[in-house]
């Protein structure tokens, strides 16, 4: 019943996937570590865009440089 359309859209999205919302709040495990690694790899790719070949990207991702 909010006048803010963005808030109504957000709540509608939560209601559409209520099972996932409930699982995320009640289950003891999470995908936080995986999401953190994905974020780190994307950051490295953004930094290296146009500067190096895929071999160097692979080395940086695997060795954490």
């Amino acid at each position: 019943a909010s006048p803010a359309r963005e808030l109504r859209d957000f709540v509608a999205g939560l209601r559409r996937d209520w099972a996932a919302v409930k699982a995320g709040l009640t289950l003891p495990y999470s995908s936080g570590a995986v999401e953190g690694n994905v974020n780190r790899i994307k950051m490295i790719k953004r930094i290296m865009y146009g500067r190096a070949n895929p071999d160097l990207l692979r080395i940086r991702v695997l060795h954490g440089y």
Side-chain angles (χ1 to χ4, degrees), residues 2-28:
S2 172
R5 185 181 64 81
E6 294 84 2
L7 185 58
R8 289 192 314 266
D9 291 346
F10 175 71
V11 171
L14 290 178
R15 286 185 177 150
R16 272 194 303 273
D17 204 6
W18 183 248
V21 172
K22 184 177 176 184
L25 295 173
T26 58
L27 295 177

Side-chain angles (χ1 to χ4, degrees), residues 5-53:
R5 185 181 64 81
E6 294 84 2
L7 185 58
R8 289 192 314 266
D9 291 346
F10 175 71
V11 171
L14 290 178
R15 286 185 177 150
R16 272 194 303 273
D17 204 6
W18 183 248
V21 172
K22 184 177 176 184
L25 295 173
T26 58
L27 295 177
Y29 49 84
S30 87
S31 62
V34 173
E35 294 296 332
N37 279 321
V38 168
N39 189 40
R40 181 179 65 86
I41 291 169
K42 286 182 179 184
M43 181 195 63
I44 292 170
K45 286 175 68 176
R46 279 192 301 270
I47 290 170
M48 294 180 61
Y49 179 78
R51 297 184 183 176
N53 62 22

